[in-house]
Amino acid sequence: MEYFDEIQDRVILIGVQASIGDDMEESLDELGELAATAGAAVAGRIIQNREAVHPGTYIGKGKIDEVKGLLYVLNANGVICDDELSPAQMNNLERELECKVMDRTLLILDIFAKRAVTSEGKIQVELAQLRYRSARLVGLRSSLSRLGGGIGTRGPGEKKLETDRRLIRNRISALKQELSQVEKHRELIRSRRAVGNLKTAAIVGYTNAGKSTLLNTLTGASVLSEDKLFATLDPTTRLLTLDDGQQLLLTDTVGFIRKLPHNLVEAFKSTLEEAKYADYIIHVVDASNHQAEMQMHIVYETLKELGALGKKTITLFNKQDKAAGESLRDLRADHTLKISARTGEGLGEFKELLSRILAEGQIYMERLFPYSEAGQIQLIREYGQLLSEEYTEGGIAVKARVPREIYPKVT
């Protein structure tokens, strides 16, 4: 067992209710799930109603005294704030509370560091961590003796904080170059898919909505699927062959979440942009979650930030085996279906819908090509879908689906 698993932080969650429309209780519920995913135990929570967060200490003096008392009574050794703290806020809170201070961003970065498997994922996580910590290097350096392991020290954390800003900037530059090479490789893969004329669909949704389970059930993929936030980070693409022979590439993407750290969006842009370059969007919603409406809104806001709106969208209200009859609607989607990726409910109807959508831009054809015109079949291979070809005495018998703009050239 790794060292950070042996030391379990006991933390108090802190939130600031700055707007009447905010549901801070639900936000702290999610923060608690994130803390549990990172390996911490939630000892308590505190919410302060303020017009705005305190610019110097996030919460006011009275609440700081209240948190101090709770830390002692609950035997807690750290706090997690529900917003990203400025370097000054983090340093001042650490000085006032004399304990480890973390924020939502640091927590998510820590989970990503734990979940990253591929070299690309590890590069992206380290880059996001360094960008976040470089601004906090001076303040955190003095608190390293207090950290002692646990959340926030995973990945490149401690060894990077022991270096100076110049070395961190050099490391960030080197990681950017590595990531640039990865992005070129990803672009090459996308271009090859385009040449093969295979349509692509990006599976998007709030974290833990069931995206990986859907991909596994449809394609037999072996993507990690757990009832945890951010169970998978690295995009996985699998080929789905439908009952009528049509094919579609499905790509599982990293889950979205409220207050997704900007550094993560930047670092994972090449991964998240799978949605931007896909032909279709498959939006998976956890219909059993009472915050489903809010989660749908956050997904669309993230897609907007990525420039991935405007594509044909299918929204799947997943986990019908757990849903208690909730009536959800998505007016922004072109199609909506109720499914259960775990039990298979509704997936037959979903695949029929995919077949109809794929067929919209294609024409089915059957033709006998004389051997003298065999070169035209290459057009079908390049731009359409060659379902079968049979060599006969009179020529090549072909069954295929071709784009409408190509059809006149092969008939």
Side-chain angles (χ1 to χ4, degrees):
M1 183 178 291
E2 294 183 25
Y3 181 59
F4 59 75
D5 288 325
E6 295 173 358
I7 298 177
Q8 185 177 44
D9 292 297
R10 282 181 55 81
V11 298
I12 294 172
L13 309 181
I14 302 176
V16 173
Q17 181 93 35
S19 172
I20 297 176
D22 293 341
D23 193 328
M24 187 50 60
E25 289 289 351
E26 290 187 348
S27 189
L28 286 189
D29 286 343
E30 183 176 86
L31 189 66
E33 287 186 60
L34 288 168
T37 301
V42 177
R45 59 169 68 188
I46 281 184
I47 296 175
Q48 179 170 34
N49 293 304
R50 292 179 58 93
E51 291 185 2
V53 299
H54 192 288
T57 53
Y58 185 64
I59 53 176
K61 176 64 177 171
K63 282 295 177 184
I64 288 177
D65 292 337
E66 189 177 335
V67 172
K68 276 184 181 179
L70 270 181
L71 285 166
Y72 177 77
V73 170
L74 299 176
N75 193 30
N77 64 339
V79 300
I80 303 177
C81 300
D82 195 42
D83 297 281
E84 182 169 330
L85 301 177
S86 69
Q89 287 171 329
M90 184 169 285
N91 294 339
N92 292 337
L93 267 182
E94 283 198 338
R95 186 177 61 252
E96 292 283 343
L97 298 175
E98 298 182 330
C99 74
K100 182 191 296 186
V101 174
M102 296 162 278
D103 59 16
R104 175 181 276 257
T105 299
L106 182 61
L107 195 58
I108 294 175
L109 287 172
D110 190 83
I111 295 169
F112 271 49
K114 181 180 179 182
R115 300 287 187 179
V117 176
T118 65
S119 58
E120 178 185 6
K122 291 176 181 178
I123 291 170
Q124 290 167 323
V125 170
E126 185 174 354
L127 183 58
Q129 284 184 316
L130 289 177
R131 282 171 169 164
Y132 172 84
R133 294 179 179 182
S134 62
R136 296 159 173 81
L137 182 62
V138 174
L140 286 174
R141 187 189 300 276
S142 63
S143 66
L144 276 177
S145 60
R146 285 207 302 273
L147 291 180
I151 298 170
T153 63
R154 236 186 302 271
E158 288 178 315
K159 65 181 180 183
K160 298 306 176 204
L161 290 171
E162 291 166 0
T163 66
D164 58 23
R165 289 186 183 277
R166 180 181 58 81
L167 291 178
I168 285 186
R169 283 198 300 268
N170 290 344
R171 180 61 179 158
I172 288 176
S173 178
L175 287 172
K176 283 182 178 179
Q177 290 180 355
E178 289 184 52
L179 201 54
S180 175
Q181 294 302 313
V182 173
E183 289 170 357
K184 288 179 182 177
H185 178 66
R186 189 177 292 282
E187 288 171 7
L188 180 62
I189 292 174
R190 289 191 190 117
S191 64
R192 285 176 178 171
R193 289 175 189 164
V195 169
N197 202 41
L198 277 174
K199 296 294 184 180
T200 60
I203 304 174
V204 305
Y206 208 79
T207 181
N208 206 27
K211 300 181 299 300
S212 297
T213 303
L214 177 66
L215 184 68
N216 289 340
T217 304
L218 289 174
T219 68
S222 55
V223 180
L224 176 65
S225 177
E226 291 184 305
D227 188 19
K228 289 184 178 179
L229 304 184
F230 301 118
T232 52
L233 292 184
D234 303 298
T236 301
T237 300
R238 292 291 184 268
L239 181 66
L240 172 63
T241 301
L242 300 168
D243 294 338
D244 61 358
Q246 295 190 88
Q247 294 182 318
L248 177 69
L249 286 171
L250 297 179
T251 299
D252 184 20
T253 62
V254 64
F256 301 154
I257 196 168
R258 75 175 92 195
K259 303 175 184 176
L260 188 65
H262 180 72
N263 282 334
L264 272 183
V265 174
E266 282 299 310
F268 277 75
K269 185 154 279 186
S270 65
T271 300
L272 292 169
E273 281 185 343
E274 289 293 338
K276 179 178 179 180
Y277 293 108
D279 298 292
Y280 311 108
I281 298 293
I282 298 172
H283 178 193
V284 182
V285 179
D286 180 358
S288 69
N289 194 307
H290 67 283
Q291 301 182 55
E293 293 279 1
M294 177 276 297
Q295 293 178 355
M296 289 165 60
H297 173 73
I298 288 171
V299 168
Y300 279 113
E301 286 298 304
T302 307
L303 289 174
K304 180 180 178 181
E305 183 178 351
L306 295 170
L309 290 179
K311 300 177 185 294
K312 181 157 287 190
T313 301
I314 303 170
T315 293
L316 302 177
F317 294 116
N318 190 29
K319 303 190 182 182
Q320 290 298 318
D321 52 309
K322 295 182 179 180
E326 288 88 349
S327 180
L328 294 170
R329 294 195 304 167
D330 185 0
L331 300 179
R332 288 167 287 193
D334 298 280
H335 305 275
T336 59
L337 289 173
K338 293 181 179 180
I339 70 155
S340 170
R342 189 178 67 84
T343 66
E345 176 189 345
L347 293 188
E349 186 181 355
F350 173 51
K351 288 192 280 189
E352 289 175 7
L353 175 60
L354 288 177
S355 292
R356 293 199 303 272
I357 291 174
L358 289 174
E360 286 175 356
Q362 296 183 319
I363 297 176
Y364 176 79
M365 62 171 289
E366 293 184 13
R367 186 188 167 190
L368 182 68
F369 286 88
Y371 286 102
S372 60
E373 299 178 14
Q376 287 183 291
I377 299 176
Q378 184 57 35
L379 273 177
I380 298 174
R381 287 196 181 95
E382 187 172 352
Y383 296 104
Q385 203 169 1
L386 188 60
L387 301 178
S388 70
E389 57 180 327
E390 182 182 352
Y391 290 82
T392 68
E393 289 186 10
I396 307 171
V398 165
K399 294 180 181 179
R401 287 188 178 87
V402 295
R404 295 183 183 278
E405 60 271 21
I406 299 299
Y407 182 72
K409 299 179 181 179
V410 292
T411 53

